[in-house]
Structure formats: structure tokens, C-alpha cells
Amino acid sequence: MCGIVGAISNQNIVPNLVQGLSRLEYRGYDSAGIAVLRNGIERIRSVGRVVEIDSMVKDQKLEGFLGIGHTRWATHGEVSEFNAHPHISEGEIAVVHNGIIENYEEKYEQLKKLGYQFVSQTDTEVIAHLIHYFVKEKKKSLLEAIQMLSHDLRGAFAIAVISLKNPDEMICARLGCPLLIGIGEKENFIASDVSALLAMTKKVIYLEDGDVAQIKKDAIEIFDKNKKSIIRKIHISQVTLSSMELGPFEHFMQKEIHEQPRALTDTIEAIIDEGHFNPRLFGDEAQEVFSQIDSILILAAGTSYFAGVIAKYWLESIAKIPTSVEISSEYRYRESVANPKQLILTISQSGETLDTMEALKQAKFLGHTLTLAICNVQESAIARASKLVLYTRAGIEIGVASTKAFTTQLVSLFSLAVTLAGVKKLINKQEEKKYLENLRQLPGSVQQALNLEPQIKEWAKLFADKHHALFLGRGVHYPIAMEGALKLKEVSYIHAEAYPAGELKHGPLALVDNDMPVVVIAPNDNLLEKVKSNMQEVKARNGELFVFADADSHFTESSGVHVIRTPRHSGVLSPIIHSIPVQLLAYHVSLIKGTDVDKPRNLAKSVTVE
């Protein structure tokens, strides 16, 4: 959940480091820092945003040909300058680190007994001192010292290291956290995210777990977990700089909400390009895999988990396949019964979500070989670890609160359900054609939902002074209520909970009063009359209702009942339409409250720690 950047060149690399950090700030923004080799190791650190580092660099006229930088999301230790990265050992070794070292307390005690002084509360300082110890006392080269780390440390890390005694190289390593190398002309770079390198190069190498890389100005050598030199594939990134600019929008969350018609169109075009749902879309072995499976287990976290819950409805109703959904971090720590005919389906925007990656590893350890990943980032770790993969085409998503990644995941999951139904011969050509038409109409319906923004802005004024909110939905729309509650919590800091509307009388109704806004997802489906009954329970307790209904629903506004009508009921894809207004509501409430929409407190975009 932090960001790493590094560079080695014949020219001053400090502007590259600062620019790279600014691109990575969405991954962590508690503090930031850079270290370069010049007259010794020179370091600048600051609490707050990268703009502070930029100002300090200019004031101090910092320059260097070799350096590393970091944006921090605090795990071990408070947000402070002395906890900010890079961390330095004995004035000779500088380290930046993403991840968590689980046995750092044990190593801390060992290193203290060896005479090392600790000046921070972080687990990262253990890494710096341990490398110094290996080099000085064990007489190892910098490369060998870093190769030894995986034997001494437990946990996950991506690190970049520079040494006063090694002015012509930078060493980096990956174990559980993403890290890549950018290839330039007589200069090379490293970063935790390709976005940091786009201004310098589009040629990148994605490191595998256990890799250690020795990076010089004109050479790169990668060693695998067995310390054998290995060649990794060079990729040309398709991400553009323009996709990372705000353009006419005030915030990335706003931009990404409004990019959904385009993102959905791009995703849908890839799916229906051949005029039918082709298993090959998921990989060359998909037909064979899909014909074997008898059930599905979905593993995901956060918003992706809610996408999985919606997918359960589709997979069971359309493809008739028993489906369960688990939070990744829970699955990996419980005893479960493996089923070799079960498809393990992982969902992750980044493809690097640590909990989901580790859950996938656990499933494979238990003997599951039928695996499918749905993610948004090419060549990400979860995709590489899966037999089958479908990439959504949301484009880069920077706002911490996921929006377009969520809706494109839903399109992909719906397409999986229909594809499986076709493989199992549960639908005919006419039914498949109907589902294709549903997808074709979806971007237009989403745009109509976006056109509701002026009305939702007015609602937001009624939420801004509230401390709690309740979201209700039924059936396949209950997960949209969960997603709406999560979005409101994430960006406005209003406590919000979601419940199936039928559960209201089993406890949550005790919370309802005239100071508790109740948001209801009420599409014109077979559960509408049940939802209306639940709304009456709220109204009878003086609760204030905010109802997202369809254009063809028969709702009338009254005192304490506010209604906004989305496009006419969109059938099986209705959850995607109803996700738009709850995104907009959270965004506009956040604007009124003055919170940091794109960088909400205590959160970061890519969750690469437990």
C-alpha cells in the first residue's frame, strides 16, 4: 500500500524520483522521502504529500545519479518524519520497503544486541540494519546480502536498496509485493507501479516472487529464488500518461465515475466481438476447464468481494452452478475442504491484492488446479498465477474508492455466467442473443444514470451533517446496498451499514429515527412489493427514506420519502445501473464535507499488506 521508485542514470535522477512519487501518491500519502548518493547518502523526508518533497528538493538543490524514493501508508509506527522512508543504516545503506515483516520484533532484538541503534518504529529499519550486518560482518556483496533476506525475514516485501560503497548499482527484490523494472537508454528504473515510470519509459519487466535484480545504468541482471540468473520477458506498457491526468474534472473519483460508459463499452466490445460468448475469451483452456467444473468458489476483498456476491446470483440463476463467495483474508486462515472440480475465481482490480493472492496460493496448495482471475492490470501477479484470466478494460483507476473497476468486473462476471451456461447447453441461441443485447444497451443506460447527478447533489446536502446512514436492498441488489455503504464510509467518513431489507425488523430497525437517513435500492423487479413493505416499517418510525427507483416503478414522493428514478428497469444487469447513483451520492457528500475524495484518511489504493 506504499509506493516505491528508484533510478540510476548518467544524469540527475531527482526530478524522475519526484515525478514518480507524485504518480504513486495514491498508493500511500502519509509521508514521503527520497535518498540519493552524492556526498554520502543524502536524504529528504516529510510528513504529508509529495509536493512537500518537491519543495524541499528545490530549496536544497538536491541532485544525484542514483537514488530511491517512497510514499508511505503507515503500518508499523505513527505518521512522522522519523518513520518515513528511506531508512538508513550506519550512513551506508538506504532502503525503501513495501509490505510487512512479520518477525521484525525478533530481528530487532537480535540487531540491538549486535549494537545497532534504531531511530524509528518501523519494521523497515530492521531490513536496512540486517543488510548492513550481512555486508560488514558476513563479508557479503550487496547483492548476496539481499539474496539472504528471504531466509531471515518472514512476511512480504518489495525493496530497493542503494549503498555508499556501491555507487554504480541499485539492488531490488520482490517477495509478495509488486515490483517492476523500467528499461531506458543508458538509464534504468524500478517502481511498484508502472504509472511511476510512464514519463521515462514504457519498456518494463515484472519481477516474480523471489526475484532479486541488480540494476546498473547499462545492464540488468535478475536472479530467481534459487539465485540463478534468469531472463524475464520485456513488456511494452499500454497505459498512457493522459489516462492519469484529471482533464476537466476536479477529482479522479469524479473522472472515473464519468468514464464508466467508455470503460464498459471497451470491456463489452472485447467480450462480444465475435457475436457470441466464446469461452476462448477466458483463455485457450477455458472450454476444457469449464466443462469439468461442478461449483465455483469466489475469493475477493473489498469492492471486488461485493462484485463476487452479485456474481453468485448470476452464476446460480443463469449457469445453474453452485457458487460460494468468501473474503480472501478469511479463507486462507480456515480449514476448508478442497474439491478438484471446483473453479477458484479470484477478483482484484490491481491483480496484486495480497489477501487475494495468498488465498489463491492456499487454494492451489490444497490441490485446486482450475483457477480463473478477473482483474484490471495486465501481467499482474494474480493473473500470472491463474490458469485462466479475463482482463477488464477499465483503464487505470487512481481514486482509492473503486468505481469503474467495479462495474467492469460486473460485466466480466455476467459474461462468465452466460458463457458457462452456453458450455453446459443451458441457453439457446435466442437467449444468448438477448443477453448480448442487454450488454450492448448497458453503456447508454449507465450514461442516463449519470445524468441524475444534479438531483443526487441535492440529496447530498441532506446527508452532510449526518453521522450514520442505513442502506437497504433485496436479492441481487443487496450487494449494491453494501457497495453504497462502503463508498459513503470511504470518502465521507459517515458511518454506514447495509442490510437485506427483509432483515430490517430483526435488529437494525432499532437504529431508525429522524436523524438516520435510509437509502433504499428499489428496482422494479419481483421483490419490489416486499421492498415497499420494508420502507413502510422505516416510515412508521419517522425514518427519512432516500429511494433509488426505476423509471417504471410506481413511487410517489411524500414527506420523508425522496425518490430518484434511474432508467427503466434493466433486467438482469440492473445492479450495474444502480451502482452509479450510490457512487455519485458518496462523492457529492464528500465534497460538501470537505474530505479528501481521492485520498481518504487511513486508506490507500492497492492493498499489498495484511
Side-chain angles (χ1 to χ4, degrees):
M1 296 171 72
C2 306
I4 286 175
V5 66
I8 183 168
S9 176
N10 285 320
Q11 57 188 353
N12 179 27
I13 48 82
V14 172
N16 300 115
L17 297 179
V18 174
Q19 183 180 51
L21 290 181
S22 69
R23 300 286 187 193
L24 291 174
E25 196 169 31
Y26 72 101
R27 296 177 70 101
Y29 36 86
D30 294 336
S31 58
I34 61 175
V36 299
L37 288 189
R38 188 163 61 168
N39 300 315
I41 297 177
E42 298 187 21
R43 176 176 62 179
I44 289 175
R45 298 183 295 176
S46 175
V47 171
R49 303 299 165 80
V50 174
V51 66
E52 300 295 331
I53 295 296
D54 190 26
S55 177
M56 293 168 72
V57 161
K58 291 172 182 174
D59 289 345
Q60 298 182 30
K61 297 182 173 55
L62 187 68
E63 295 182 348
F65 303 124
L66 170 62
I68 52 179
H70 190 268
T71 60
R72 182 172 186 247
W73 184 84
T75 52
H76 291 74
E78 64 189 29
V79 177
S80 63
E81 183 178 330
F82 63 82
N83 283 332
H85 298 217
H87 289 283
I88 297 175
S89 177
E90 305 299 313
E92 295 181 5
I93 303 288
V95 175
V96 290
H97 163 228
N98 291 351
I100 288 180
I101 305 304
E102 295 174 356
N103 62 333
Y104 85 100
E105 291 176 331
E106 172 192 332
K107 294 300 170 185
Y108 172 85
E109 293 300 331
Q110 291 176 3
L111 288 161
K112 276 192 74 174
K113 289 176 182 177
L114 290 168
Y116 286 95
Q117 300 296 313
F118 285 80
V119 296
S120 79
Q121 303 162 329
T122 69
D123 54 344
T124 303
E125 197 175 358
V126 163
I127 300 174
H129 291 322
L130 199 56
I131 294 170
H132 182 270
Y133 173 73
F134 289 153
V135 170
K136 184 177 180 180
E137 302 299 330
K138 298 294 186 180
K139 308 303 180 185
K140 300 295 182 180
S141 68
L142 186 62
L143 172 64
E144 290 171 332
I146 293 167
Q147 287 176 321
M148 292 175 69
L149 286 178
S150 61
H151 300 291
D152 266 54
L153 301 177
R154 292 196 312 271
F157 58 79
I159 60 171
V161 184
I162 59 174
S163 168
L164 190 60
K165 296 182 178 180
N166 300 67
D168 61 344
E169 69 177 9
M170 169 174 52
I171 309 293
C172 63
R174 172 198 171 146
L175 187 66
C177 295
L179 198 64
L180 56 92
I181 300 169
I183 304 169
E185 295 293 330
K186 295 189 182 302
E187 59 182 6
N188 290 304
F189 311 90
I190 60 100
S192 50
D193 189 316
V194 71
S195 60
L197 305 183
L198 292 176
M200 286 79 85
T201 181
K202 283 182 168 288
K203 295 169 67 176
V204 298
I205 297 171
Y206 295 94
L207 295 180
E208 300 283 350
D209 257 6
D211 283 356
V212 176
Q214 181 181 49
I215 300 168
K216 300 185 178 183
K217 286 175 283 198
D218 53 3
I220 295 168
E221 189 166 10
I222 301 171
F223 302 86
D224 67 14
K225 61 185 178 182
N226 298 314
K227 302 182 182 179
K228 293 182 180 179
S229 181
I230 191 167
I231 296 174
R232 298 290 186 204
K233 183 179 176 182
I234 297 174
H235 299 266
I236 306 300
S237 175
Q238 301 303 308
V239 178
T240 63
L241 276 174
S242 61
S243 68
M244 300 186 64
E245 303 295 339
L246 274 171
F249 298 98
E250 292 184 46
H251 303 94
F252 281 105
M253 184 178 179
Q254 181 191 31
K255 175 177 184 271
E256 288 152 13
I257 289 172
H258 284 271
E259 284 177 340
Q260 286 175 108
R262 179 73 262 168
L264 289 166
T265 298
D266 291 344
T267 302
I268 291 165
E269 283 180 352
I271 290 168
I272 66 176
D273 189 44
E274 297 181 19
H276 66 103
F277 293 90
N278 192 329
R280 275 206 316 274
L281 179 70
F282 299 87
D284 292 339
E285 299 178 78
Q287 178 76 39
E288 180 185 353
V289 170
F290 291 167
S291 63
Q292 295 178 51
I293 64 173
D294 63 6
S295 60
I296 296 175
L297 170 61
I298 298 174
L299 301 172
T303 287
S304 295
Y305 170 76
F306 299 148
V309 178
I310 293 170
K312 173 182 169 69
Y313 287 90
W314 289 332
L315 289 161
E316 294 195 339
S317 64
I318 299 172
K320 310 301 181 188
I321 296 179
T323 301
S324 56
V325 191
E326 289 203 45
I327 294 171
S328 303
S329 57
E330 292 296 314
Y331 169 79
R332 62 179 292 211
Y333 290 115
R334 72 170 183 84
E335 292 187 14
S336 57
V337 180
N339 172 7
K341 291 187 176 182
Q342 187 172 60
L343 178 68
I344 302 297
L345 169 56
T346 53
I347 311 170
S348 167
Q349 188 280 136
S350 67
E352 303 283 354
T353 307
L354 185 65
D355 288 327
T356 304
M357 183 71 231
E358 293 301 318
L360 175 59
K361 288 180 182 178
Q362 173 69 6
K364 292 171 74 172
F365 173 77
L366 292 174
H368 289 283
T369 60
L370 309 178
T371 56
L372 166 63
I374 291 180
C375 64
N376 189 39
V377 180
Q378 297 280 331
E379 293 300 319
S380 51
I382 292 173
R384 293 197 304 271
S386 302
K387 183 183 286 287
L388 307 176
V389 61
L390 177 63
Y391 291 109
T392 59
R393 301 197 177 189
I396 194 165
E397 187 179 67
I398 292 175
V400 167
S402 182
T403 52
K404 62 179 181 174
F406 175 65
T407 50
T408 53
Q409 285 172 354
L410 290 178
V411 162
S412 302
L413 291 161
F414 172 76
S415 301
L416 173 64
V418 180
T419 301
L420 286 167
V423 169
K424 294 179 178 295
K425 303 189 185 308
L426 296 174
I427 58 172
N428 56 36
K429 291 294 182 185
Q430 186 175 355
E431 290 169 315
E432 182 182 40
K433 185 177 179 181
K434 180 192 70 174
Y435 288 131
L436 286 169
E437 189 58 30
N438 289 151
L439 283 178
R440 289 191 180 98
Q441 293 178 4
L442 181 64
S445 297
V446 167
Q447 184 57 57
Q448 291 179 50
L450 288 168
N451 294 341
L452 299 171
E453 190 166 16
Q455 299 172 58
I456 294 170
K457 280 184 182 180
E458 293 302 310
W459 274 19
K461 296 174 184 176
L462 303 176
F463 277 73
D465 64 344
K466 304 299 184 184
H467 299 287
H468 309 278
L470 198 60
F471 284 70
L472 303 177
R474 294 200 77 149
V476 72
H477 292 87
Y478 164 52
I480 298 301
M482 292 195 288
E483 175 65 4
L486 176 63
K487 286 290 163 286
L488 193 66
K489 279 184 280 199
E490 283 180 305
V491 297
S492 77
Y493 315 149
I494 293 174
H495 169 246
E497 291 189 70
Y499 280 89
E503 279 290 289
L504 193 60
K505 54 189 170 293
H506 294 287
L509 197 59
L511 298 172
V512 172
D513 59 20
N514 58 13
D515 200 41
M516 168 80 82
V518 179
V519 179
V520 185
I521 314 300
N524 189 18
D525 61 12
N526 63 329
L527 290 170
L528 180 60
E529 294 306 317
K530 298 292 185 184
V531 172
K532 286 182 177 179
S533 296
N534 301 137
M535 288 168 53
Q536 290 300 322
E537 295 168 358
V538 173
K539 192 174 180 182
R541 275 77 179 177
N542 296 318
E544 191 167 11
L545 289 156
F546 295 82
V547 185
F548 289 116
D550 292 336
D552 46 0
S553 296
H554 299 292
F555 278 103
T556 55
E557 289 207 21
S558 60
S559 177
V561 181
H562 312 272
V563 180
I564 288 179
R565 302 183 190 281
T566 62
R568 64 186 302 275
H569 185 51
S570 301
V572 70
L573 295 177
S574 176
I576 299 176
I577 306 302
H578 280 272
S579 69
I580 307 303
V582 298
Q583 293 171 358
L584 288 169
L585 179 63
Y587 173 72
H588 284 289
V589 173
S590 176
L591 286 190
I592 294 170
K593 288 177 68 68
T595 61
D596 193 332
V597 176
D598 289 333
K599 301 181 180 71
R601 68 188 183 200
N602 305 333
L603 300 177
K605 182 65 179 174
S606 183
V607 183
T608 55
V609 297
E610 282 197 79

